[in-house]
Amino acid sequence: MALLSNTRPGLALEPALLALRTQVDTRLGELLPEPEHPQDLIAEAMREGVLAPGKRVRPLLMLLALHDLDAHAPGAIDIACSLEMVHAASLFLDDLPCMDDATLRRGRPTLHIRYGEDVAVLASVALLSHAFSVVAAAPELSASVRTRAVGLLSQAIGPYGLVRGQFYDLHGGHQARALDAIAKANQLKTGSLFIAALETAGLIAGCSRADIASLRSVAQEFGLGFQLLDDLNDGKASEHTGKDAHQDRDKTTVVALLGRDAARQQLRLHVRRANAQLERLGLADGLTAQLLARIFAD
Ligand code: GRG
């Protein structure tokens, strides 16, 4: 069954987002372990952290791209959910006192405040390994696709992905940093999961190498733009972002370095570049392009 039953080309974004978001949340609820007893805090924290009201951008991006590419694989939703699990696992760690020391996430107290640092670390590790087992077992996808999807996910996380980006961010973020060093950290810590989302969509859809390269470029621009937007929103009140305001107070971000206007211009450049690649793919009017327009609307 197609994830979106209505596959006409002009399908509007909002109903598609609503339908996919419901499917992602339902499937996440099914895939995450249930607590086995009232003291099973790891399972409870995993569910609490993942199912808290985040935007689900990474799984939605992957599923919208699959729709644009006319690929309807039932197992894709599980891989999309694994991206959300990895993202949530990274947030558990990012919020710890030894990292960003955050108190609020997705409008709720951060996981370590609610359950303690030990539970937050263990829930993150459990979630990461669970995400890989979900990809490995994704139904109705060939063994080759599942194996390659595992590879894409691990590249997004490890020494060439989120972990390295987070390290650069923690250890370069509080000093003056050149713009390209900031972009590199942003690309790794935020772009990596967007790349996994779109490359996996291309893999499932059986895209050519050239088209996968274009999807990767879309994801890179999307990731850089997304982190810029996150930085631009840093001063906003917690009611709007669900996070602590001014978390980047002591960090050198693009916004701190260039100012808000130049950062906005930079953001528009990323959106234009992403759209150019979508056009190359013949997806200028697709749902992925609409998602981009919606997220980065001025
Ligand atoms: C264990 C996977 C793993 C990674 C370890 C801690 C770490 C390395 C990386 C953290 C990277 C990080 C927090 C990047 C920031 C990315 C970002 C823009 C987060 C906010 O994403 P949204 O806006 O959040 O999509 P919601 O809550 O809506 O999902």
Side-chain angles (χ1 to χ4, degrees):
M1 190 189 74
L3 284 167
L4 291 170
S5 50
N6 185 349
T7 55
R8 68 195 153 78
L11 183 63
L13 180 67
E14 289 308 322
L17 280 181
L18 208 66
L20 289 177
R21 162 114 207 189
T22 305
Q23 289 172 51
V24 167
D25 281 346
T26 303
R27 191 63 185 141
L28 279 170
E30 291 165 358
L31 290 170
L32 286 165
E34 294 279 357
E36 288 177 3
H37 50 78
Q39 279 76 44
D40 189 357
L41 292 186
I42 301 300
E44 188 183 315
M46 287 166 76
R47 295 188 73 84
E48 163 67 27
V50 177
L51 298 175
K55 296 182 286 300
R56 314 283 186 257
V57 175
R58 294 146 190 86
L60 290 173
L61 177 66
M62 180 184 150
L63 296 172
L64 291 176
L66 273 172
H67 179 267
D68 285 345
L69 295 166
D70 222 6
H72 306 292
I77 187 135
D78 287 12
I79 303 192
C81 287
S82 79
L83 293 171
E84 187 63 22
M85 289 180 198
V86 170
H87 168 56
S90 81
L91 299 179
F92 301 174
L93 297 188
D94 185 52
D95 289 337
L96 287 171
C98 63
M99 299 209 191
D100 270 11
D101 196 13
T103 64
L104 198 65
R105 173 69 74 178
R106 295 177 165 178
R108 299 180 181 177
T110 44
L111 223 62
H112 64 275
I113 289 196
R114 180 128 177 224
Y115 295 99
E117 289 180 37
D118 55 342
V119 172
V121 171
L122 291 172
S124 176
V125 175
L127 201 48
L128 269 184
S129 34
H130 192 63
F132 280 105
S133 71
V134 166
V135 179
E140 297 185 49
L141 290 170
S142 71
S144 155
V145 165
R146 282 181 279 124
T147 305
R148 287 159 72 192
V150 165
L152 287 172
L153 193 60
S154 60
Q155 277 162 34
I157 298 167
Y160 309 109
L162 285 162
V163 169
R164 178 172 293 222
Q166 179 74 351
F167 180 79
Y168 285 167
D169 200 51
L170 290 169
H171 292 273
H174 299 264
Q175 306 139 18
R177 280 192 297 172
L179 262 186
D180 56 349
I182 301 176
K184 184 72 197 160
N186 290 351
Q187 183 62 67
L188 291 167
K189 78 169 183 165
T190 306
S192 297
L193 278 177
F194 290 103
I195 291 174
L198 287 189
E199 283 205 36
T200 306
L203 167 72
I204 292 172
C207 288
S208 66
R209 284 166 80 107
D211 284 356
I212 297 229
S214 283
L215 287 167
R216 186 181 176 87
S217 300
V218 174
Q220 278 171 336
E221 301 299 340
F222 199 124
L224 286 168
F226 197 78
Q227 185 57 53
L228 264 178
L229 191 64
D230 197 69
D231 295 344
L232 281 161
N233 285 337
D234 182 58
K236 286 198 180 156
S238 323
E239 302 92 83
H240 298 295
T241 62
K243 300 193 279 186
D244 300 310
H246 301 293
Q247 195 69 29
D248 296 340
R249 196 179 296 109
D250 305 320
K251 278 191 192 170
T252 315
T253 62
V254 176
V255 178
L257 213 62
L258 298 182
R260 299 182 68 80
D261 287 347
R264 276 200 204 91
Q265 270 180 32
Q266 182 74 39
L267 178 52
R268 284 186 209 111
L269 181 66
H270 292 308
V271 174
R272 277 202 301 279
R273 286 179 177 159
N275 278 325
Q277 291 296 328
L278 285 170
E279 206 171 320
R280 193 212 147 264
L281 287 157
L283 304 179
D285 299 321
L287 292 174
T288 313
Q290 290 180 50
L291 179 72
L292 203 77
R294 186 183 192 269
I295 290 180
F296 298 112
D298 270 335

